[in-house]
Each structure stands twice: as structure tokens, then as C-alpha cells.
Amino acid sequence: MALVTILHRFADYDTFRNVYDSADGLRQAGGVTDHSVHRMADDPNNVLVLHSFDSIDAARAYMNNPKLKDAMQQAGIQGEPRIEFFE
């Protein structure tokens, strides 16, 4: 099992959340087995996303998917996300 943590900032949480919720098919096709979204208590546009996968290889493939990067842009990402992989 693998876990990916993605910490990123968005211009507007509601816009991010609409795009995130509409990307369920992308997550399923990418092998995401479980996921959750958390907002920073003092900065609601700072978002932590947790995605679980069956393997690190599946996690890396998903995170390198150009469609995911497009979705992040559409959601209004600011700067570069901090992405960590755990086994």
C-alpha cells in the first residue's frame, strides 16, 4: 500500500472543491483506493489531500498524469504543490 500527501494552496477553496469532486473518474482510473481532503484551520485555501494506492508505482503514475496537472490548473492552484510518497 502507498499513501501520497499533497499540500497545495488554491485561490479559492470552493473552486478547488468543485473541480476535485468532478474528478472522481480520474481518481478511479488512476488507481486511487481511498482519498480525503483537509483544509488548514487558519487558512482554508491551504489544502491537504491524501490519496491511497495499491503500490508506489500506481501512485507515481497517477501523480504524473497530465490530466491531473490540468485539473490542478483549472482548480486555481497557486505555486507548486508539496507531494510526498509513503509506503
Side-chain angles (χ1 to χ4, degrees):
M1 187 177 129
L3 175 70
V4 178
T5 64
I6 309 121
L7 181 62
H8 34 22
R9 180 169 189 65
F10 290 92
D12 176 69
Y13 175 81
D14 292 331
T15 300
F16 154 76
R17 192 62 201 229
N18 286 334
V19 172
Y20 183 85
D21 289 345
S22 71
D24 195 49
L26 180 63
R27 285 188 295 280
Q28 287 180 356
V32 176
T33 58
D34 194 22
H35 62 96
S36 61
V37 174
H38 310 270
R39 298 166 78 176
M40 187 176 284
D42 296 331
D43 183 0
N45 292 326
N46 202 348
V47 179
L48 173 66
V49 175
L50 306 176
H51 283 167
S52 297
F53 298 84
D54 288 334
S55 70
I56 284 290
D57 289 340
R60 291 187 192 283
Y62 177 76
M63 294 309 299
N64 287 320
N65 184 336
K67 291 180 181 179
L68 177 62
K69 295 183 188 320
D70 290 345
M72 286 183 178
Q73 291 299 318
Q74 183 183 7
I77 193 168
Q78 296 180 325
E80 289 295 317
R82 178 178 171 184
I83 302 170
E84 303 287 344
F85 295 86
F86 297 87
E87 287 187 290

